[in-house]
Amino acid sequence: MCGIVGYIGTQAASSILLEGLRKLEYRGYDSAGIATIYEDEIHCIRAKGKLHNLQEKLEGAATPAQLGIGHTRWATHGKPEEYNAHPHMDTARRIAVVQNGIIENYRELREELKALGHEFRSDTDTETIPHLIAEELKQIVGHVGVGLSNESGNTLTGSKNLPLLEAVRRAVNKLQGAFAIAVISADYPDELIVARQQAPLVLGFGQGEFFCASDTPAIVPYTRAVLPLENGELARLTPLGAEVYSFEGHRLKKAPRTLNWNPVMVEKQGFKHFMLKEIYEQPGVVRACLETYLNPEWGQESEEKAEGRGQRAERTTPTPHSPVRLNLPTTLYDKLQQIQIVACGTSWHAGLVGKYVLEQLVGIPTQVQYASEFRYAPSPLTPNTLTIGVTQSGETADTLAALEMELERRKDLAVEYQPRMLGITNRPESTLGNLVPHIIDTHAGIEIGVAATKTFAAQLMAFYLLALDIAHYRNTLSSEQVEKLLDGLRQLPAEIEMILESQERYIEELAHDFVDTQDFIFLGRGVNFPIALEGALKLKEISYIHAEGYPAGEMKHGPIALLDAKVPVVTIAMPGTVFEKVLSNAQEARARDARLIGVTPMDEQDAEDTFDTLIPVPHVDEILSPLVTVIPLQLLAYHIAARRGLDVDQPRNLAKSVTVE
């Protein structure tokens, strides 16, 4: 949730920290603050609200300090007030800490530290940490010369005469929960100590300078050499280098890797908001998935043999090659009886589309679970089950915890119950990538807008590609069926572009009608029911309008009581198995005076006769239609929110990456 950044090097830290926080503000914007060390003192400046408030306070107050930490907050413990803003300090104001996460045992620790004379100034769980480090440091400083010891009594490998590192190590071993922290001390002005446990933290390596951050966008303007810390690791950064240790005190050998990101990716590039830019990036995202994963060799062998006989290739049986190149082992698919998907929010909606696609194309029963519920009420264990975790960031706490639980409860069972784990994420270098053995990288690029758009499209592509791969392995589709789906997928980028080019201006004008609307209903059926849910979610997230998504056929079973002339009903009606049924359901709403908005192909006369307002989309195969029907709903939510004068990219109470339970 929160964003943390740290710097040690040769440049003025304040400006680097501020720019880093700007890149991380999508993680939280209830308050912000930085702490630097200059002239043997910690200089801490904090401000309530968004980052520009902190920037104003820094004008004329910044120091030339070359070491510092910064934080942008999404409030968990304590109201979003300045006194609860990070960094937090110990009683003597010699240690400063920033944290992303939740300390579950902070109340017990807080009471123990109060009894020892420590004075607390905030309501946060984080403030416990600098006091705890200060207490540990007090116990250590008299024994520096004889080396430091871990809990087993062994000398702390490679860390002799490093009291601040040892104090942090001892402190984090007393913390319960998920956290990433950065620590500085006025008594150790050449050290930046960081630690990670179940919350993301990455190190950046420059020339005589080092960085840490919750996410790589804060680092890429300065270096592409990065090292993500793993759970149970801490690091000591100095102007001379970086040292990584385990929480047990062992020195670890770690090497950075090079990112291939372009800093331009995290700029608006002329768009008013990141969200609008990311909506427009969706054709490119779909193309990237197709270029990466479609197999150009598919079907070639059959065609070549047929041509050698002077015949036309008949694609009625599978070719030896899969139509996609996911590079997943066949052991994931062998004797597969069930699939379970765990996810949250928009990723959960993507999972619902995935369920429909997998069941219809592959014939495997598929469940979609809220990760936050699954971890406390898991489904009964079933044999030969594939578990798929979906999270754009790869850091969603509930999803990771659900996957960890599934790994743990299956690991010692019979072979047919052994875990089969797959992750779908935009960040393969994330915690998810280290947790599960197999990943489908969605290749969406960094997404800054809190409301997910392009990453949702990329997740849908992952499910289509996965379904095609499993279908090939199980021989559930003919080659002709596969070719039809592939042709449809290849056309999607141009069809999305067509919607953006022809409908955005129209939707912007349409949004004017709903500036004062208080309630919306979204309807869909079959594969487009999840898109109705996603459309409602987008509107709620950024416009703060109450919106609900329903299966269109369920309208008459209660929700219809909500309808009157003040409640617009957005209905997704795509030609296919349920087209006529959806139109009939829409008529039920029309009979209650609701304004009907139809997302439907323009040349469908029945639809034209049904809806008051049409948002046209191209004709596509029904099973592929979510990738085109979601675009108008994203644009509608965006333009209503923008028309209401709201902060589209940073909606209230939300954060991009939910790394706490």
Side-chain angles (χ1 to χ4, degrees):
M1 302 292 264
C2 305
I4 67 175
V5 62
Y7 173 79
I8 185 168
T10 59
Q11 303 184 61
S14 295
S15 59
I16 292 174
L17 296 173
L18 193 65
E19 285 304 308
L21 293 178
R22 202 180 313 279
K23 297 293 193 301
L24 297 178
E25 199 173 12
Y26 66 87
R27 299 181 66 89
Y29 28 85
D30 291 327
S31 62
I34 68 170
T36 58
I37 297 177
Y38 185 65
E39 295 182 341
D40 196 41
E41 291 184 357
I42 293 179
H43 296 256
C44 185
I45 298 177
R46 306 182 296 179
K48 178 183 176 181
K50 293 189 176 182
L51 193 60
H52 62 82
N53 295 329
L54 176 65
Q55 186 172 1
E56 290 176 0
K57 294 184 72 171
L58 278 171
E59 292 177 359
T63 72
Q66 298 173 336
L67 166 66
I69 53 178
H71 188 272
T72 182
R73 183 178 186 235
W74 186 83
T76 55
H77 297 76
K79 294 181 178 181
E81 301 289 347
E82 184 175 320
Y83 66 86
N84 285 324
H86 300 215
H88 289 288
M89 292 191 283
D90 67 319
T91 304
R93 299 181 182 271
R94 304 296 291 174
I95 297 170
V97 173
V98 292
Q99 188 222 175
N100 168 35
I102 291 179
I103 307 303
E104 296 173 353
N105 61 332
Y106 83 98
R107 291 185 179 87
E108 304 95 293
L109 292 172
R110 189 181 180 110
E111 291 307 310
E112 292 174 11
L113 291 162
K114 280 184 174 180
L116 294 171
H118 292 263
E119 299 175 5
F120 285 76
R121 309 178 185 95
S122 78
D123 303 323
T124 70
D125 56 329
T126 301
E127 193 186 357
T128 305
I129 303 173
H131 291 284
L132 184 59
I133 294 171
E135 189 63 29
E136 296 293 343
L137 194 59
K138 187 177 11 176
Q139 304 300 317
I140 292 170
V141 290
H143 307 284
V144 171
V146 296
L148 310 174
S149 34
N150 59 27
E151 278 69 16
S152 63
N154 300 321
T155 300
L156 192 63
T157 307
S159 67
K160 188 176 181 180
N161 299 326
L162 302 177
L164 182 60
L165 174 67
E166 172 66 1
V168 174
R169 190 194 70 82
R170 292 185 185 182
V172 296
N173 277 293
K174 294 181 178 180
L175 301 178
Q176 298 173 11
F179 55 85
I181 65 171
V183 183
I184 58 174
S185 170
D187 297 315
Y188 304 90
D190 295 319
E191 298 182 40
L192 170 61
I193 311 296
V194 299
R196 176 211 164 126
Q197 183 66 23
Q198 304 292 343
L201 191 64
V202 61
L203 308 183
F205 295 71
Q207 296 292 324
E209 58 185 3
F210 297 88
F211 310 80
C212 71
S214 297
D215 204 351
T216 46
I219 293 174
V220 290
Y222 309 101
T223 180
R224 309 290 174 81
V226 301
L227 173 64
L229 288 186
E230 298 181 21
N231 291 332
E233 292 182 350
L234 69 163
R236 176 177 180 263
L237 309 181
T238 74
L240 300 178
E243 306 160 0
V244 181
Y245 298 83
S246 69
F247 279 14
E248 293 74 30
H250 303 295
R251 180 79 179 269
L252 305 175
K253 293 182 179 180
K254 310 274 287 193
R257 62 184 184 84
T258 303
L259 287 175
N260 59 2
W261 284 12
N262 187 331
V264 174
M265 295 169 64
V266 295
E267 303 298 335
K268 292 180 183 175
Q269 300 174 9
F271 288 91
K272 187 176 180 180
H273 296 98
F274 280 110
M275 182 179 178
L276 186 59
K277 168 179 171 283
E278 288 153 5
I279 290 172
Y280 269 83
E281 287 175 341
Q282 289 176 113
V285 167
V286 174
R287 283 195 183 95
C289 287
L290 295 172
E291 291 170 0
T292 301
Y293 293 119
L294 289 194
N295 186 359
E297 296 181 359
W298 182 78
Q300 286 183 2
E301 185 169 323
S302 313
E303 292 177 351
E304 290 169 359
K305 287 181 178 179
E307 290 171 0
R309 297 191 298 265
Q311 301 172 351
R312 180 179 177 273
E314 295 292 334
R315 294 189 173 179
T316 56
T317 58
T319 66
H321 303 288
S322 174
V324 298
R325 300 177 297 187
L326 295 177
N327 297 319
L328 299 174
T330 56
T331 51
L332 284 183
Y333 307 155
D334 188 40
K335 299 179 182 179
L336 191 58
Q337 295 176 251
Q338 183 164 309
I339 297 173
Q340 56 186 12
I341 300 167
V342 293
C344 303
T346 287
S347 296
W348 187 76
H349 296 160
L352 291 177
V353 176
K355 167 185 166 67
Y356 186 96
V357 171
L358 288 163
E359 290 185 339
Q360 299 304 309
L361 299 184
V362 185
I364 298 178
T366 301
Q367 299 180 11
V368 187
Q369 306 276 7
Y370 284 113
S372 57
E373 293 295 312
F374 182 78
R375 54 187 297 195
Y376 297 110
S379 301
L381 288 168
T382 54
N384 300 312
T385 298
L386 172 63
T387 303
I388 305 175
V390 189
T391 157
Q392 75 84 21
S393 67
E395 302 291 352
T396 304
D398 286 318
T399 303
L400 296 175
L403 295 172
E404 287 175 341
M405 180 201 69
E406 192 69 359
L407 281 167
E408 183 65 26
R409 71 178 185 143
R410 286 179 175 271
K411 67 179 183 180
D412 296 323
L413 301 181
V415 63
E416 64 269 25
Y417 288 94
Q418 284 293 300
R420 305 188 193 186
M421 312 295 287
L422 173 66
I424 296 176
T425 183
N426 194 38
R427 306 294 295 277
E429 76 280 5
S430 63
T431 302
L432 178 70
N434 292 319
L435 177 63
V436 301
H438 309 291
I439 289 288
I440 299 177
D441 182 354
T442 59
H443 294 282
I446 186 69
E447 186 176 67
I448 301 297
V450 167
T453 52
K454 67 175 181 176
T455 54
F456 176 72
Q459 289 170 348
L460 297 190
M461 287 298 298
F463 278 115
Y464 287 119
L465 297 167
L466 178 64
L468 284 169
D469 203 31
I470 301 176
H472 171 79
Y473 181 80
R474 294 169 66 95
N475 193 16
T476 59
L477 298 174
S478 70
S479 294
E480 289 177 340
Q481 291 173 307
V482 173
E483 185 64 37
K484 182 182 178 183
L485 287 167
L486 291 175
D487 286 343
L489 288 169
R490 292 187 187 102
Q491 294 171 27
L492 282 173
E495 288 161 341
I496 296 171
E497 286 172 343
M498 185 187 304
I499 298 171
L500 293 169
E501 292 170 2
S502 64
Q503 298 303 315
E504 198 225 332
R505 185 72 59 87
Y506 170 65
I507 293 172
E508 183 179 8
E509 292 298 318
L510 180 63
H512 294 188
D513 297 347
F514 307 115
V515 173
D516 298 319
T517 300
Q518 297 182 356
D519 302 279
F520 260 85
I521 299 292
F522 291 77
L523 301 179
R525 294 190 80 157
V527 73
N528 277 301
F529 165 53
I531 304 307
L533 294 175
E534 178 64 8
L537 179 62
K538 286 289 140 317
L539 193 64
K540 284 184 279 195
E541 285 179 320
I542 62 174
S543 73
Y544 317 143
I545 294 173
H546 172 248
E548 300 294 340
Y550 294 102
E554 290 297 304
M555 193 66 191
K556 56 186 174 290
H557 297 291
I560 199 167
L562 300 171
L563 298 186
D564 58 28
K566 297 180 180 179
V567 182
V569 177
V570 180
T571 303
I572 304 165
M574 296 299 290
T577 55
V578 293
F579 183 56
E580 297 298 331
K581 299 291 186 183
V582 172
L583 295 182
S584 177
N585 300 142
Q587 290 282 10
E588 297 165 2
R590 188 174 191 177
R592 275 74 183 176
D593 296 324
R595 179 174 175 178
L596 292 186
I597 302 167
V599 178
T600 188
M602 182 173 283
D603 56 354
E604 293 291 338
Q605 189 59 53
D606 289 344
E608 285 191 45
D609 295 339
T610 300
F611 296 108
D612 302 305
T613 303
L614 291 180
I615 304 179
V617 294
H619 274 277
V620 299
D621 191 309
E622 184 180 26
I623 202 166
L624 301 178
S625 63
L627 278 160
V628 299
T629 58
V630 75
I631 306 299
L633 305 190
Q634 293 171 346
L635 288 170
L636 183 64
Y638 169 79
H639 282 295
I640 291 175
R643 188 68 181 174
R644 288 162 71 99
L646 301 173
D647 191 336
V648 174
D649 289 332
Q650 298 178 351
R652 69 190 184 197
N653 302 334
L654 298 178
K656 184 65 178 173
S657 179
V658 185
T659 57
V660 297
E661 183 180 353

